[in-house]
Structures are given as C-alpha cells and as structure tokens.
C-alpha cells in the first residue's frame, strides 16, 4: 500500500534548519524526508487533512516554495501526452497584449485579457473585443513581437526535452494565434498545435478571427481529439495552463499543472507551480 507524499521545490537551496520546513514536516506527520536535490525535498508517509494541507500551503507560499501533494508515486511513463497552453504558460508573454502595444493599446487589451484569464469575462467575447482593437495594424507587427518579445518560460526547454526523450507526444493548444503557435511547434519539435487564425488583408489585420475560436471548450475537445488519435485515455495526459480558459482541458487530464496561474486555476489543479520553472513537474515523478 502506497502512502501520500509531499514534494517541496524552490529556486534556491532549501535550508534544512528552516523553521517553516520543520513546521511543514510536523504538520504533515511525515515518516521520512528525502533530499532529491538541494532545491527539492520529498516527504514520505504523510497524513494530512484539508486544514493541515491549507496551513502547509501557506507556509510554503510564504517561503516562495512550491509544494505538491501526491496521493501515490507516479512515473513519467504513466503518461503519453503533454498538452500546454501557450501564452503565460509555455511562453512568458500574452502575445495579443504585445501586439496591441504596437497600436498603443496595450493597457486596454491587457485589462480584457486579465479579466478573461481570471474567469470574469467569457473568453470568446473577450477575444473578439481584443482582436477588433487591432484592426488596421500592419501584419509585420506579429513578426516584431515574435523576434523582440517572445521568450520561453523558465524550465520550458528542459521540461520538453525530458518528456520528448521519454516518448511522450506534445500538444500546444492556445487561445492565441497560429502565427506564434506554428513557429513554436517548428522551433520546439512539437507534435500538434491548435490556435486561432487572425484575418489579414493587404498586409494588415482586419480585426477579425477566421473560423472556430479556440476557447475553453475547443481546448478540451482538442485534447480529447489528440488522445483519441493516439489511442489513449485523457487520464494519460498532463495538461498545463494558467488561465480560466484552461480549466476544462485540465479537468479531463490525469495530471493538471497550474503554472504561474490565476487563483481560480491554482485552486483546481493537481499541481501548482508558482515559483519554480516548468521543469519542476519532472520532480514529481518517481
């Protein structure tokens, strides 16, 4: 019979004499503590109720540590697919906000983006409103954003290399735009991508999106479709995201990872990585 584990991770070396670490160990009633690395500690044989788990999370958050509760040890080989949101998950920016900056409209567009990611505004409506503000912008602005502003999130490359080496397929599914997802798919050797198509006429954005909008429901359907193509269950998928429009696809996954996510997403995910990089997910596997 397996017993639950807690995995504590930090960007800095963890001091084993730290008072908060000792509080977490006491709260968890851990039977053993293992140092996976100077920055990662695994507590085994833990026994905690919801109140204790909440207290543990508070102590960890105050120290800028990520703590994950695992009901049982998992192996990367238990999974066959990693599905990722793009903006603010695989990459550090919201592409549409940076495109809007070329129009001098970043504050207005970013405000709508934030409301949608917090779940306060329906995604389709928010995208239509934001894209409309881009009407007339020269399409060369997209390449400028890609060249000058787009960066991979911390640990993204290491995470992808590890899962690809382990034989997992990769899917980039985004409420963003094909201009960026197509380039990321090629650059990172991803297997699948799906996102929105910006309409461009005479070298300028029309302020419209072509075809089906990739919202929360479409993201879920895409993960389900790819799983079906691979002949696997959605429980064999790891799904990573940061905003409310990622929740539907996260809910069908065997492991859901909230990365630098909004509170509504953190609270519903299996794993919340608030401080370490995306490669922090690798430390959760035995």
């Amino acid at each position: 019979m397996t017993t639950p584990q807690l995995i504590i991770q930090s960007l800095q070396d963890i001091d084993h004499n730290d008072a908060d670490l000792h509080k977490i160990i006491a709260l968890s009633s851990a039977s053993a503590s293992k140092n996976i690395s100077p920055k990662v500690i695994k507590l085994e044989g833990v026994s905690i109720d919801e109140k204790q788990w909440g207290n543990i999370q508070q102590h960890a958050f105050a120290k800028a540590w990520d703590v994950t509760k695992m009901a049982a040890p998992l192996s990367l080989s238990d999974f066959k697919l990693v599905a990722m949101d793009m903006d603010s998950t695989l990459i550090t920016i919201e592409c549409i906000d940076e495109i809007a900056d070329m129009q001098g409209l970043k504050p207005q567009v970013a405000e709508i983006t934030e409301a949608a990611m917090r779940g306060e505004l329906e995604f389709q409506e928010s995208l239509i409103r934001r894209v409309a503000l881009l009407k007339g912008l020269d399409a060369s602005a997209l390449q400028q954003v890609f060249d000058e502003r787009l960066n991979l999130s911390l640990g993204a490359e290491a995470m992808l290399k590890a899962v690809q080496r382990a034989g997992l397929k990769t899917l980039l599914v985004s409420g963003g735009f094909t201009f960026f997802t197509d380039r990321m798919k090629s650059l990172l050797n991803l297997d699948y991508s799906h996102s929105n198509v910006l309409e461009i006429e005479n070298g300028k954005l029309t302020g419209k999106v072509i075809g089906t909008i990739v919202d929360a429901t479409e993201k879920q359907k895409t993960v389900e479709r790819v799983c079906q193509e691979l002949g696997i269950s959605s429980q064999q998928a790891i799904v990573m995201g940061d905003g409310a429009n990622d929740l539907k696809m996260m809910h069908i996954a065997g492991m859901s990872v909230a990365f630098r996510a909004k509170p509504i997403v953190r609270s519903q995910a299996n794993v919340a990585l608030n401080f370490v990089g995306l490669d922090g997910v690798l430390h959760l596997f035995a």
Side-chain angles (χ1 to χ4, degrees):
M1 181 179 173
T2 57
T3 54
Q5 304 173 334
L6 292 183
I7 293 92
I8 303 167
Q9 305 188 57
S10 174
L11 284 175
Q12 312 297 326
D13 288 359
I14 299 173
D15 179 2
H16 288 263
N17 294 315
D18 189 282
D20 283 289
L21 177 61
H22 286 287
K23 285 176 187 172
I24 289 172
I25 292 171
L27 282 165
S28 70
S29 303
S31 61
S33 170
K34 288 186 178 179
N35 302 333
I36 307 303
S37 79
K39 298 177 174 63
V40 184
I41 295 173
K42 181 187 289 185
L43 304 183
E44 297 183 325
V46 305
S47 176
I48 50 176
D49 59 26
E50 283 305 307
K51 183 178 179 182
Q52 288 165 325
W53 174 230
N55 287 336
I56 286 168
Q57 288 175 299
Q58 285 180 359
H59 283 296
F61 199 88
K63 299 295 294 189
W65 297 340
D66 286 318
V67 60
T68 304
K69 180 172 59 173
M70 302 289 286
L74 291 174
S75 168
L76 201 51
S77 62
D78 294 328
F79 299 92
K80 303 298 179 188
L81 174 70
V82 174
M84 302 158 285
D85 172 51
M86 181 175 68
D87 297 54
S88 297
T89 302
L90 184 65
I91 64 175
T92 59
I93 62 169
E94 291 286 336
C95 290
I96 194 167
D97 295 357
E98 302 308 316
I99 298 167
D101 201 26
M102 307 292 177
Q103 287 275 64
L105 293 170
K106 185 172 181 178
Q108 296 94 309
V109 170
E111 186 179 345
I112 300 171
T113 300
E114 274 293 304
M117 292 305 100
R118 289 192 302 265
E120 297 166 4
L121 188 62
E122 198 274 324
F123 184 81
Q124 285 209 25
E125 178 195 343
S126 79
L127 187 71
I128 291 166
R129 281 172 54 184
R130 286 177 290 167
V131 171
L133 291 170
L134 305 179
K135 184 178 180 180
L137 181 66
D138 197 293
S140 64
L142 303 179
Q143 189 66 47
Q144 192 176 348
V145 168
F146 183 81
D147 291 339
E148 297 176 8
R149 304 193 181 188
L150 189 150
N151 293 296
L152 288 173
S153 291
L154 182 69
E157 208 161 0
M159 179 275 293
L160 283 170
K161 284 180 178 176
V163 300
Q164 288 168 333
R165 198 162 49 240
L168 280 73
K169 298 296 184 182
T170 49
L171 162 66
L172 186 60
V173 56
S174 171
F177 308 115
T178 53
F179 183 92
F180 301 100
T181 56
D182 288 352
R183 282 159 178 75
M184 298 309 294
K185 180 174 182 278
S186 175
L187 191 68
L188 299 169
N189 298 312
L190 306 178
D191 298 293
Y192 305 90
S193 68
H194 184 44
S195 58
N196 297 298
V197 182
L198 281 173
E199 186 177 64
I200 298 172
E201 290 181 356
N202 302 317
K204 294 188 182 296
L205 303 188
T206 66
K208 295 178 182 176
V209 173
I210 300 171
T212 302
I213 288 177
V214 182
D215 60 3
T217 299
E218 182 65 15
K219 284 188 170 191
Q220 178 187 333
K221 287 179 179 177
T222 303
V223 173
E224 289 171 335
R225 173 175 55 79
V226 170
C227 286
Q228 192 170 16
E229 283 182 27
L230 294 172
I232 65 171
S233 158
S234 64
Q235 287 295 300
Q236 292 173 283
I238 299 167
V239 175
M240 303 176 169
D242 74 296
N245 66 323
D246 297 317
L247 284 171
K248 284 190 176 181
M249 67 173 180
M250 291 170 77
H251 283 158
I252 64 168
M255 177 183 281
S256 56
V257 181
F259 182 71
R260 306 283 197 277
K262 303 298 179 285
I264 190 174
V265 183
R266 288 202 306 264
S267 67
Q268 295 183 45
N270 303 130
V271 179
L273 300 178
N274 302 307
F275 306 106
V276 301
L278 280 171
D279 54 341
V281 74
L282 302 173
H283 296 127
L284 306 180
F285 300 108

